[in-house]
Amino acid sequence: MPAAFTTTSTSRRQFLTLLGISAAAVSCGTATATNGSGGSGQITSLKYQGSVGAVSLPELAADLGYFGNVTLDWVGNTISGPQDIQSAATGQTHFGMAFNGAVIKLASSKAPIKAVISSYGSDQYSYGGYYVLEDSPIRSARDLIGKKVGMNTLGAHYQALLDIYLSRGGLSKGDAAKVEPLVIPPVNTEQSLRQKQIEVGVLTGVLRDKALAAGGIRPLFTDVELLGPFSAGTYIMTERFIKQNPDTVRTFVTGVAKAIEWSRTTPREQVIARMTEIVKKRGRNEDTATLQYWHSYGVAETGGRITDTSFQLWLDWLGERGEIKQGQLKAADLYTNEFNGQGKG
């Protein structure tokens, strides 16, 4: 059975509470302790969270040897981008990754964080789709009124895309509020959809392709159809960590940038083989079968360099929803490409 459903209102309260904790805690302590420091006093062992059965760009970069003396220290897994960046902001980890709208929310709570490189996106090979059963009567935005839509977390990428789809479909705010987003762990989404516990399920990457291969489902819409190719998320670090560990940050960011380009230019079969080897070597008793469905990380820009447009769409969305003050933040203040030695110009 899938994990228990989380209601929209409860999840939002929990998320806002965590944002408050993040803002308060980040000034009290960070993960910049002396453990894992190099001779220069800079930290060279980076704590992070991973994902079950998946290989993140930093994990790929480390395995490819792009990090030099910088190593990764896995502290556990997460399915939530907001939780991942909160962990980085409060010092439980050294970096985190999330949808750019979640990064904006955290920054708006006065957490001193900075996005340093794009982490994922949507393109013709890698995208997020909103799927229904083949015989479902749902064909349009209006058909979603009163229906349940399962996604990995609320207040992030897939709720934002759902809102944009509903708005473009002509739904009023009142009608859109009758569509019920629910938290479903990605590994349980296909099962929940097929068992009719939800009417729509967000499926991405290998989980999407595996579900499509089994048949019986169809896309209602995809994010790349809605917006075109785009980078949707970034890796963030605290400003304090960046200031105290500039060489480490440069090594990390440039290494991830190189891994992005390696994944683009290397034959897909070789990338999958490398990822499979990485998962097996780390010994966490994970299933590697779904890796065969990997196609790309979806990052739009060369070397994952960040642009204003990576944040502006979500700044506008959050402002319209009243979740941040209009004009409170500027896109250019949320990120830096200073430490990215790949793809300059």
Side-chain angles (χ1 to χ4, degrees), residues 107-127:
S108 71
S109 72
K110 308 300 182 183
I113 58 170
K114 191 78 74 173
V116 293
I117 187 168
S118 291
S119 57
Y120 78 93
S122 293
D123 60 18
Q124 60 179 320
Y125 306 110
S126 180
Y127 54 87

Side-chain angles (χ1 to χ4, degrees), residues 182-237:
L182 296 172
V183 174
I184 306 287
V187 295
N188 298 124
T189 301
E190 178 187 356
Q191 178 187 12
S192 297
L193 180 62
R194 294 189 188 278
Q195 292 182 348
K196 300 184 179 181
Q197 294 171 318
I198 54 177
E199 284 83 12
V200 185
V202 176
L203 293 167
T204 66
V206 296
L207 295 175
R208 175 202 64 225
D209 289 352
K210 186 178 180 182
L212 287 172
I217 64 172
R218 61 176 171 82
L220 176 63
F221 72 96
T222 69
D223 56 6
V224 74
E225 289 173 348
L226 202 62
L227 299 178
F230 65 100
S231 290
T234 47
Y235 286 103
I236 66 99
M237 293 176 164

Side-chain angles (χ1 to χ4, degrees), residues 99 122-124 126-130 140-141 144 156-170 202 219-230 313-314 317:
F99 161 59
S122 293
D123 60 18
Q124 60 179 320
S126 180
Y127 54 87
Y130 295 69
S140 68
L144 290 176
H157 181 136
Y158 295 111
Q159 187 172 6
L161 268 295
L162 175 62
D163 285 352
I164 291 172
Y165 175 74
L166 296 175
S167 176
R168 292 186 180 180
V202 176
L220 176 63
F221 72 96
T222 69
D223 56 6
V224 74
E225 289 173 348
L226 202 62
L227 299 178
F230 65 100
L313 175 66
W314 315 117
W317 173 68

Side-chain angles (χ1 to χ4, degrees), residues 177-332:
K178 297 174 185 175
V179 181
E180 186 177 3
L182 296 172
V183 174
I184 306 287
V187 295
N188 298 124
T189 301
E190 178 187 356
Q191 178 187 12
S192 297
L193 180 62
R194 294 189 188 278
Q195 292 182 348
K196 300 184 179 181
Q197 294 171 318
I198 54 177
E199 284 83 12
V200 185
V202 176
L203 293 167
T204 66
V206 296
L207 295 175
R208 175 202 64 225
D209 289 352
K210 186 178 180 182
L212 287 172
I217 64 172
R218 61 176 171 82
L220 176 63
F221 72 96
T222 69
D223 56 6
V224 74
E225 289 173 348
L226 202 62
L227 299 178
F230 65 100
S231 290
T234 47
Y235 286 103
I236 66 99
M237 293 176 164
T238 64
E239 293 177 349
R240 179 181 176 185
F241 183 84
I242 293 171
K243 182 177 181 180
Q244 293 180 344
N245 303 274
D247 296 334
T248 297
V249 175
R250 185 170 289 105
T251 298
F252 171 82
V253 174
T254 301
V256 170
K258 289 179 178 179
I260 291 170
E261 294 310 311
W262 182 87
S263 73
R264 272 198 239 270
T265 58
T266 302
R268 177 171 170 264
E269 294 74 16
Q270 292 182 32
V271 178
I272 292 172
R274 189 72 177 238
M275 289 179 167
T276 302
E277 181 184 350
I278 291 171
V279 171
K280 289 180 177 179
K281 282 192 302 185
R282 64 195 188 195
R284 300 176 198 163
N285 194 30
E286 300 164 276
D287 184 6
T288 62
T290 55
L291 289 173
Q292 67 180 299
Y293 298 101
W294 180 90
H295 290 284
S296 83
Y297 285 102
V299 176
E301 297 80 14
T302 300
R305 295 179 72 81
I306 308 170
T307 65
D308 282 3
T309 56
S310 300
F311 284 97
Q312 193 58 54
L313 175 66
W314 315 117
L315 282 168
D316 295 340
W317 173 68
L318 290 167
E320 290 170 2
R321 286 168 58 91
E323 296 193 33
I324 64 170
K325 295 178 181 178
Q326 293 279 8
Q328 177 184 353
L329 298 169
K330 294 182 179 179

